[in-house]
Amino acid sequence: MLTLPPEAALPHELTTTTAGPPIAVPRPAPIANRVISDGFPATTEGALGWLTNLNETALRGGDPATYLRAYGESALPHAPAPQGSGLYALLNSFRERAGIRSGELKPGLTVTYEVTQGLIKGTADDGRFTVVCTLGQLSFDYQGQATSMGIGDCQALRWTGTVWRIAPGARAAYAASAWPGSSESVAAGYRPLTRDGAR
């Protein structure tokens, strides 16, 4: 994966060039009593849609405890530990700087992650194993101070026969983080995402 300088993740000028045509990721079929839906098809686009859903849900609110819980429910036995995730480290760093403990609710704190680009790095085992990446805008707003950055995440996923899950084995290479739509995001291979209707 391309290594980018930290400033590539900060808001800056967008480009009209792309790394390829948009990737159409499906929206999940609704499933009762599931925070993170498993209603995605057994395709690479389905895997990318599932990771998009996982990351947007797990980062909402900016609580490392929420991310740990979502990751734990989404990983197969012997998958990489969530504590090694770049997203988990980022949430912890933000909370430490703001003086907010993990699991602590804080009025006025808003954290969102909106995925707008993605990357399918490769597949194996007749499509039942794939490495996919999301790139989105992570925004923090706390006590009137707002900041945004482009954050990427790559995960190795396994199709179990019915659902996508984070695969056992080695962790996928850490994603390049760039401001979505910037020339750096294109250089890293990220493509725009479009979201289809439920499958």
Side-chain angles (χ1 to χ4, degrees):
M1 197 79 183
L2 181 67
T3 301
L4 296 172
E7 55 268 24
L10 301 178
H12 61 282
E13 185 178 357
L14 305 183
T15 181
T16 57
T17 62
T18 68
I23 302 172
V25 296
R27 292 185 185 275
I31 296 177
N33 302 318
R34 289 288 302 175
V35 176
I36 299 165
S37 178
D38 280 328
F40 289 92
T43 63
T44 52
E45 293 82 6
L48 184 54
W50 181 85
L51 183 61
T52 295
N53 186 239
L54 168 64
N55 284 342
E56 288 184 339
T57 302
L59 269 65
R60 191 178 303 129
D63 188 350
T66 300
Y67 182 82
L68 285 179
R69 185 166 58 253
Y71 187 105
E73 293 175 357
S74 303
L76 292 172
H78 310 296
Q83 289 82 357
S85 163
L87 296 181
Y88 178 73
L90 184 64
L91 294 179
N92 265 326
S93 174
F94 166 75
R95 287 236 166 186
E96 286 173 6
R97 288 198 310 270
I100 308 171
R101 295 185 307 275
S102 179
E104 180 183 358
L105 297 176
K106 206 71 172 177
L109 172 64
T110 303
V111 181
T112 60
Y113 181 60
E114 181 183 3
V115 175
T116 55
Q117 293 185 278
L119 171 61
I120 298 169
K121 292 184 71 175
T123 62
D125 195 17
D126 295 324
R128 291 186 291 270
F129 176 88
T130 185
V131 177
V132 295
C133 309
T134 62
L135 179 67
Q137 180 177 325
L138 182 63
S139 300
F140 299 93
D141 190 337
Y142 180 53
Q143 294 182 339
Q145 296 195 357
T147 185
S148 294
M149 61 194 78
I151 299 297
D153 179 58
C154 293
Q155 297 291 342
L157 304 182
R158 166 66 64 179
W159 179 253
T160 67
T162 55
V163 296
W164 288 104
R165 288 288 182 267
I166 299 170
R171 181 181 305 282
Y174 288 107
S177 287
W179 186 246
S182 66
S183 58
E184 293 91 343
S185 74
V186 172
Y190 290 109
R191 293 159 55 187
L193 299 186
T194 61
R195 305 204 192 189
D196 292 345
R199 295 293 185 224

